[in-house]
Amino acid sequence: MSPDVPVLSGASVRLEPLTLDHAPELALAVEEDRSSYGFTMVPRCDEVKDYVQAQLSRKGLIPFAQIRVADGRAVGCTAFWDLRTWPGRDRLRAVEVGFTWLGASAQGTTINAEAKLLLMTYAFEEWGVHRVDLKTDARNQRSRAAIAALGATFEGVLRNWSLSWAPGEDGRLRDSAMFSVTDGEWGDVKAGLERRIAARAAAS
């Protein structure tokens, strides 16, 4: 297993390993409309370079810029996170997909669903993992609905599990709603995502 992930390409989104070259376009994307970021870690425009550097230096994180194929612009970020191997072996058994955000103009498109399809396809079919985790602030109903729509299974709420990113809650812990897709479910989840993406593309 190599943690070096290549560019992952779809019809509406291309996931490129994150670099500082993406920072100028990400700085524009973060300020389009911030009304959906109440529970999500999304930098302000003048914080983007520091954010990218922090992502690149964070141990166990494999970050990507989400590039909108239609115009070639970086419109958000996502990542593989918390890679877990089998005891005594270098082979992955599970990984989380997280640190995801999109600029307002990219929300409500096929980009999020296709990015998750690309990431999970790589995790299950290249790395051979048995589980992909997705989690969000338990209060974030919009994010919970979006994760469930991917076909992930809700497993419950883990109390005081993660740092809160909500305004005014610095240094506090949040309850996290945990979802997953397992290798046994992946075939059906993948087919469902492909149908959803094709239907949205046909309607646009």
Side-chain angles (χ1 to χ4, degrees), residues 24-84:
E25 291 180 352
L26 292 174
L28 297 175
V30 296
E31 298 296 341
E32 289 178 346
D33 178 354
R34 297 185 61 87
S35 61
S36 65
Y37 299 154
F39 299 105
T40 307
M41 181 177 66
V42 181
R44 301 300 309 226
C45 61
D46 59 350
E47 300 168 338
V48 167
K49 284 187 178 180
D50 289 342
Y51 170 85
V52 171
Q53 289 174 327
Q55 295 288 88
L56 294 175
S57 64
R58 189 165 188 151
K59 186 177 180 180
L61 186 73
I62 303 175
F64 301 89
Q66 301 195 68
I67 310 300
R68 182 166 50 204
V69 170
D71 58 10
R73 297 185 67 84
V75 292
C77 292
T78 192
F80 285 126
W81 165 241
D82 192 22
L83 286 72
R84 283 108 69 196

Side-chain angles (χ1 to χ4, degrees), residues 124-142:
F124 284 116
E125 299 179 17
E126 296 298 324
W127 280 340
V129 301
H130 295 272
R131 172 189 170 95
V132 171
D133 308 333
L134 305 102
K135 69 175 185 289
T136 188
D137 192 307
R139 299 167 293 182
N140 191 342
Q141 295 300 322
R142 176 176 178 161

Side-chain angles (χ1 to χ4, degrees), residues 114-189:
E114 189 167 42
K116 297 300 192 299
L117 174 62
L118 292 170
L119 290 168
M120 288 195 287
T121 297
Y122 195 87
F124 284 116
E125 299 179 17
E126 296 298 324
W127 280 340
V129 301
H130 295 272
R131 172 189 170 95
V132 171
D133 308 333
L134 305 102
K135 69 175 185 289
T136 188
D137 192 307
R139 299 167 293 182
N140 191 342
Q141 295 300 322
R142 176 176 178 161
S143 180
R144 290 176 64 161
I147 295 171
L150 298 171
T153 297
F154 174 61
E155 296 181 322
V157 173
L158 302 178
R159 297 177 298 165
N160 285 354
W161 185 255
S162 306
L163 288 175
S164 174
W165 304 113
E169 295 186 359
D170 292 352
R172 291 175 56 183
L173 295 173
R174 74 179 197 196
D175 295 346
S176 290
M178 180 65 75
F179 296 76
S180 72
V181 178
T182 66
D183 53 347
E185 300 165 339
W186 171 235
D188 289 339
V189 170

